[in-house]
Amino acid sequence: METYFNIRYEFDKESVHDRIAQQLKKNGADYICVADGVILNTANRDPGYLKVVNGGMFSICDSSFVPLYIRWIYGKHFEQYCGSQIFMDIIRSRKYRMIFMGTSQAILDGLKANLVKENPDVAQMQFVELPFRKVEEFDYPEIARMVEADGADIIWVALGAPKQEIFMSRLKPYLHHGVMIAVGAAFKFFSGTEVSRAPQWMIRCHLEFVHRIFKEPRKQLSRCAGILGSLPRLLWQEWRRKRHNAHIADC
């Protein structure tokens, strides 16, 4: 696990799954953030949200550009591990009981129908629509009782950033078991009812954001503008951090 752009990332996929398994053997619950460009931008503009993002086990890198930036600055090679990929990796592993929370009932129904094809065990798992309300208005003790009565190991949360990360941080103190993972648009991608993920060639060419702009222009253009506005500062700060660390190492 290493910190870049002020976020604690775990890039190694095997380590991600090993640490999930280790956490599930302990008492207490924790959470994993799936940090895309939106989270990177928001966390570096809002210290309180950055504390939430770094308050869990770690973040996985859902941005194809962050590994490029790290390569440019540090010469290190990392890979993206996006939310939809960890989602399907865990679904297909058939290792855990899971609960799926968030978004609309129509999306949840479509998601369940498609996931059963990947993992028949999903047919016996709960898909829970959370009411539309401010993040501070949820009844966290009641949600925790529902999750614990279910016995879920993995709690998937899809409320959109930054709401879903704050939701997990607020639910964590009430849970005695489980790993929460916020997967944003993954529910939509695999429900077959709304936005689909970009074709693989676009993903390989770092053009997934273009696909999403065409699907949700107003929402995605606003997000892209925010990211582009903060990117020069983030790159400059990271380059200075590299210089500073190299100077300390030489002393």
Side-chain angles (χ1 to χ4, degrees):
M1 185 168 57
E2 301 184 57
T3 299
Y4 296 101
F5 305 103
N6 299 312
I7 292 179
R8 294 167 49 248
Y9 288 108
E10 178 56 74
F11 288 96
D12 185 80
K13 295 178 184 179
E14 185 175 343
S15 295
V16 168
H17 292 278
D18 285 347
R19 291 195 59 189
I20 290 172
Q22 291 167 13
Q23 176 61 40
L24 291 173
K25 294 177 182 178
K26 302 177 184 177
N27 292 324
D30 215 327
Y31 62 89
I32 296 170
C33 295
V34 178
D36 61 3
V38 175
I39 289 178
L40 176 67
N41 171 50
T42 308
N44 279 283
R45 292 175 181 267
D46 181 346
Y49 182 56
L50 178 62
K51 186 176 180 180
V52 167
V53 171
N54 285 334
M57 295 166 63
F58 50 80
S59 292
I60 64 169
C61 183
D62 192 24
S63 168
S64 65
F65 287 97
V66 167
L68 289 179
Y69 304 151
I70 293 172
R71 189 180 309 171
W72 294 342
I73 297 171
Y74 294 96
K76 296 182 179 180
H77 294 261
F78 295 117
E79 293 183 359
Q80 175 190 22
Y81 193 21
C82 63
S84 57
Q85 186 176 356
I86 191 174
F87 183 67
M88 290 309 298
D89 285 347
I90 291 177
I91 296 293
R92 289 167 176 158
S93 74
R94 300 188 70 175
K95 289 182 178 180
Y96 305 116
R97 179 164 181 81
M98 297 168 281
I99 190 167
F100 304 78
M101 298 197 301
T103 192
S104 70
Q105 194 60 53
I107 291 174
L108 291 171
D109 291 344
L111 180 67
K112 183 173 185 178
N114 286 329
L115 293 185
V116 167
K117 301 171 187 175
E118 303 288 342
N119 176 353
D121 303 336
V122 168
Q124 307 304 318
M125 298 179 190
Q126 286 197 75
F127 289 70
V128 181
E129 180 182 18
L130 294 174
F132 182 77
R133 58 184 52 166
K134 294 179 180 178
V135 72
E136 61 270 16
E137 295 176 348
F138 285 104
D139 186 344
Y140 291 101
E142 180 58 31
I143 294 171
R145 283 191 287 271
M146 175 192 66
V147 172
E148 302 224 321
D150 181 89
D153 299 309
I154 304 294
I155 301 103
W156 297 108
V157 180
L159 291 171
K163 188 175 184 179
Q164 60 194 11
E165 290 75 33
I166 300 170
F167 176 92
M168 294 192 299
S169 72
R170 288 174 175 256
L171 183 58
K172 176 181 173 179
Y174 297 100
L175 289 175
H176 298 98
H177 175 77
V179 173
M180 295 174 279
I181 309 176
V183 288
F187 281 21
K188 294 182 180 180
F189 289 159
F190 296 112
S191 69
T193 60
E194 287 202 21
V195 180
S196 59
R197 197 173 180 208
Q200 284 300 314
W201 70 267
M202 295 188 79
I203 295 170
R204 288 193 298 269
C205 296
H206 307 283
L207 293 174
E208 185 168 13
F209 74 97
V210 176
H211 174 82
R212 298 191 70 176
I213 286 172
F214 276 106
K215 292 291 185 179
E216 301 173 296
R218 180 175 298 180
K219 176 181 177 181
Q220 297 303 327
L221 284 172
S222 174
R223 287 181 167 185
C224 287
I227 293 168
L228 290 174
S230 64
L231 183 58
R233 174 178 57 86
L234 290 175
L235 291 172
W236 170 247
Q237 289 176 346
E238 197 66 25
W239 182 79
R240 290 187 64 188
R241 187 175 294 115
K242 174 195 173 183
R243 291 282 302 273
H244 176 72
N245 292 339
H247 176 72
I248 292 175
D250 289 340
C251 291

